[in-house]
Structure formats: structure tokens, C-alpha cells
């Protein structure tokens, strides 16, 4: 376990170093105006060593908590809803034929276009943001989990039925365990999607959290705050993704699906 965690931490640190190098290189190669672009050490200075760094960290931290709340609630609700609906679709293909076309149409509309309408319906508060995050998370997770549920082979189904099991037994004993890898994969890839959805909702609707803070900072030439906000949320998203990925790997190893 210790070796596994050390390897994952090493991989994460390597990814951070590469991301910082690319960030700095892009600013240099594209000759970004230093009044707008900020190098990694400048963001570090604004957050850690500059005069007023404590106030800067407090500002970023308070906005970060709002964004994590917005993304976290929508993430959990979206995944649970996707799992439950996937089970219903697996039991009743008729329900899938009724619901999926509508869901596909809704998801095909750009989120930037849908956000104002969702805001009008659900309001500029946590409910509206949660709905937007659910939309981002829900459909990809649903498709992935449903694929996992339907990955049961005919031989497995016939074996359960031959021993007197029912379709419900097939679902409970075979399909649900078979869908665990797809469910975990959905949980992993939904992390950045949930954060993106929350940031867009905050930017276009509530004006709260890091999404709203970045919008205000860009409009008031607060580029230090804008860069710091973007880097902090990117770092937190990377850490959250790594944590879910570790949980994914541990579960699959326990199930004997990883060597």
C-alpha cells in the first residue's frame, strides 16, 4: 500500500512539474504581455510571500469553498441519479427509449446557452448551480454505467437462469458487480466536469465562488487574483481526481480486476 501511494504521489508531482513548465513556456513562446500573464513564481508570491498574502489566501479560500460546495453537491447527485436511472433502463428498455432522446437533446445544447434559462427556472442560488453541474455529470456517467450493466455475457445470464435465478438475480448478482469498473470510471472522469460546470454556473449566474471571482477580477484588471484563482482550482481538481483514481484502483485490485 505504501509503495502504491508513493508511486501515485510521485506521478502527481511529476504532472505538477510538467504543468508548471508548460504554463511558463506558453507565456514566453506566445509573448504574453507581462501585465496580463503571470508566471508561477509570481502567483506564489501573491499567495504566500507578498504583503497582504494572508488576505489574498483568505479571499481565494473562501471562494474555493463555495466552488467545492457547488461542484460537490452536483457531482454526487449527478452520479447517484445516473446510476439509478441506468439500473431502471437495464430493467426496462422502454423507459430508456422514452427518456434518452430527451436527455440527448438537452445535453447537445451548449451549457453557456442553457445556463441563463436554467437560472430563470431554478434561480441564482445553490439549486440552479446544482442543476447545471448535474447536467454536465449525468449523461456521460449514465451512458458509461449503462454500458457496464449491459456487459454481462449471455453465458453468465444463462448460468444464473439455469440455477433457478430470475432476471432480478442476474441484475443483482452479475450485472451490478460487472458495472463497478464503469461506475468508478464515471466517478473519476466526472470530477473535472463537475468543477467546470460549477465554474460556468458561477461565472454566468450566481457571481459567487471562484467562477464569479475570476470574472470580476478580469473585469477590474485584478490579474493576480484571476491567475491565482485559476491555478488553485486546477490544483484542487487534480488532487480530487487523483484521490478518486486511487480509490478506483484499490477497489478494482480488491475485485481482482487489476494485476
Amino acid at each position: 500500500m505504501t509503495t502504491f501511494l508513493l508511486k501515485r504521489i510521485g506521478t502527481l508531482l511529476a504532472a505538477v512539474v510538467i504543468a508548471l513548465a508548460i504554463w511558463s513556456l506558453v507565456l514566453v513562446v506566445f509573448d504574453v504581455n507581462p501585465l496580463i500573464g503571470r508566471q508561477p513564481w509570481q502567483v506564489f508570491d501573491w499567495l504566500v510571500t507578498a504583503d497582504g498574502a494572508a488576505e489574498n489566501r483568505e479571499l481565494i479560500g473562501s471562494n474555493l469553498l463555495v466552488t467545492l460546495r457547488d461542484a460537490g453537491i452536483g457531482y454526487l447527485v449527478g452520479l447517484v441519479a445516473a446510476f439509478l436511472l441506468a439500473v431502471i433502463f437495464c430493467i426496462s428498455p422502454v423507459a430508456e427509449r422514452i427518456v434518452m432522446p430527451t436527455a440527448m437533446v438537452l445535453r447537445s445544447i451548449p451549457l453557456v446557452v442553457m445556463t441563463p434559462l436554467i437560472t430563470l427556472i431554478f434561480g441564482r442560488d445553490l439549486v440552479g448551480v446544482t442543476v447545471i453541474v448535474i447536467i454536465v455529470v449525468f449523461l456521460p456517467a449514465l451512458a458509461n454505467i449503462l454500458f457496464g450493466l449491459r456487459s454481462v455475457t449471455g453465458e453468465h445470464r444463462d448460468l444464473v437462469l439455469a440455477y433457478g435465478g430470475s432476471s432480478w438475480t442476474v441484475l443483482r448478482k452479475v450485472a451490478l458487480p460487472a458495472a463497478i469498473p464503469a461506475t468508478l470510471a464515471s466517478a473519476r472522469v466526472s470530477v473535472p466536469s463537475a468543477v467546470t460546470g460549477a465554474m460556468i454556473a458561477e461565472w454566468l449566474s450566481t457571481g459567487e465562488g471562484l467562477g464569479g471571482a475570476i470574472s470580476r477580477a478580469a473585469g477590474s484588471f485584478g490579474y493576480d487574483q484571476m491567475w491565482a484563482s485559476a491555478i488553485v482550482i486546477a490544483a484542487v481538481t487534480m488532487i480530487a481526481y487523483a484521490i478518486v483514481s486511487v480509490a478506483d484502483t484499490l477497489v478494482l485490485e480488491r475485485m481482482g480486476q487489476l494485476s
Side-chain angles (χ1 to χ4, degrees), residues 187-203:
R188 187 176 67 251
V189 300
S190 294
V191 170
S193 299
V195 174
T196 300
M199 295 279 285
I200 291 176
E202 293 168 349
W203 170 43

Side-chain angles (χ1 to χ4, degrees), residues 4 25 37 62 153 161 168 181 185 195 206 214-215 249 252:
F4 169 74
L25 186 62
S62 60
T153 63
L161 296 177
W168 173 248
V195 174
T206 67
I214 290 174
S215 178
T249 303
L252 293 182

Side-chain angles (χ1 to χ4, degrees), residues 1 13 21 23 50 54 62 97 106 118 125 127 133 137 156 167 174 182 200 203 228-229 259:
M1 175 66 74
L13 291 177
W23 168 12
S62 60
R97 289 193 291 269
L106 290 176
I118 293 173
D125 53 16
V127 176
V133 177
V137 171
H156 290 158
S167 298
V174 183
I200 291 176
W203 170 43
S229 299
S259 57

